[in-house]
Amino acid sequence: MSKEVFERGLAIRKEVLGKEFVEKSFAAADDFNRPMQELVTEYCWGAVWGREELPRKTRSMLNLAMLTCLNRPHELKMHIKGALRNGVTRDEVREVFLQAAIYAGVPAGVDSFRIAREAFAEFDADKA
């Protein structure tokens, strides 16, 4: 593991998902799942999110569409909040989900809208 890429990934992950969330994920890690936390931090957040060719806002919108298509509600909720931190507006979130509903299916779109309302409420509560 590259310490430099890991540290860059850890910083980006905290900026996007929130410091408390990331630190809680690492604190809860054990010998079994710690390697997954490290892998995600280095490769996902450091090696890919750390690239400068796409702005974070664009990466967030891509993630929302892909997670909708893959039906990953836990990850979707987390990335909705991250998208808001990255400057994605609620109107843009809506448009991503409408677009995804056409290509991934209406049930996926409906679930994404429901999850977004929960994520918006949690995001707003955290800011209060």
Side-chain angles (χ1 to χ4, degrees):
M1 178 180 304
S2 164
K3 182 158 177 62
E4 177 186 337
V5 176
F6 178 85
E7 291 300 327
R8 179 175 59 228
L10 186 59
I12 294 169
R13 190 176 180 192
K14 287 179 179 181
E15 290 168 9
V16 174
L17 301 180
K19 181 180 177 183
E20 182 179 304
F21 176 85
V22 174
E23 289 177 355
K24 184 177 175 184
S25 295
F26 271 98
D30 56 25
D31 290 339
F32 176 73
N33 65 359
R34 185 173 299 104
M36 185 59 147
Q37 288 293 321
E38 293 167 347
L39 176 79
V40 167
T41 301
E42 180 179 6
Y43 290 108
C44 175
W45 294 100
V48 176
W49 276 82
R51 297 175 60 83
E52 296 180 6
E53 288 76 11
L54 287 177
R56 288 186 189 174
K57 181 177 178 177
T58 302
R59 290 188 191 279
S60 282
M61 290 192 296
L62 287 166
N63 275 12
L64 297 182
M66 289 184 286
L67 292 168
T68 294
C69 293
L70 291 169
N71 189 25
R72 298 293 188 258
H74 174 76
E75 292 288 317
L76 180 61
K77 183 186 271 190
M78 177 179 61
H79 277 282
I80 290 167
K81 293 183 234 178
L84 295 172
R85 285 186 197 92
N86 283 338
V88 178
T89 68
R90 292 168 197 232
D91 288 345
E92 289 169 325
V93 170
R94 179 186 60 230
E95 294 304 314
V96 167
F97 293 155
L98 289 171
Q99 184 82 14
I102 298 306
Y103 290 93
V106 171
V110 169
D111 282 349
S112 294
F113 274 90
R114 179 187 51 75
I115 293 163
R117 290 182 75 180
E118 294 171 9
F120 293 161
E122 290 175 14
F123 184 82
D124 292 342
D126 288 344
K127 294 194 88 145

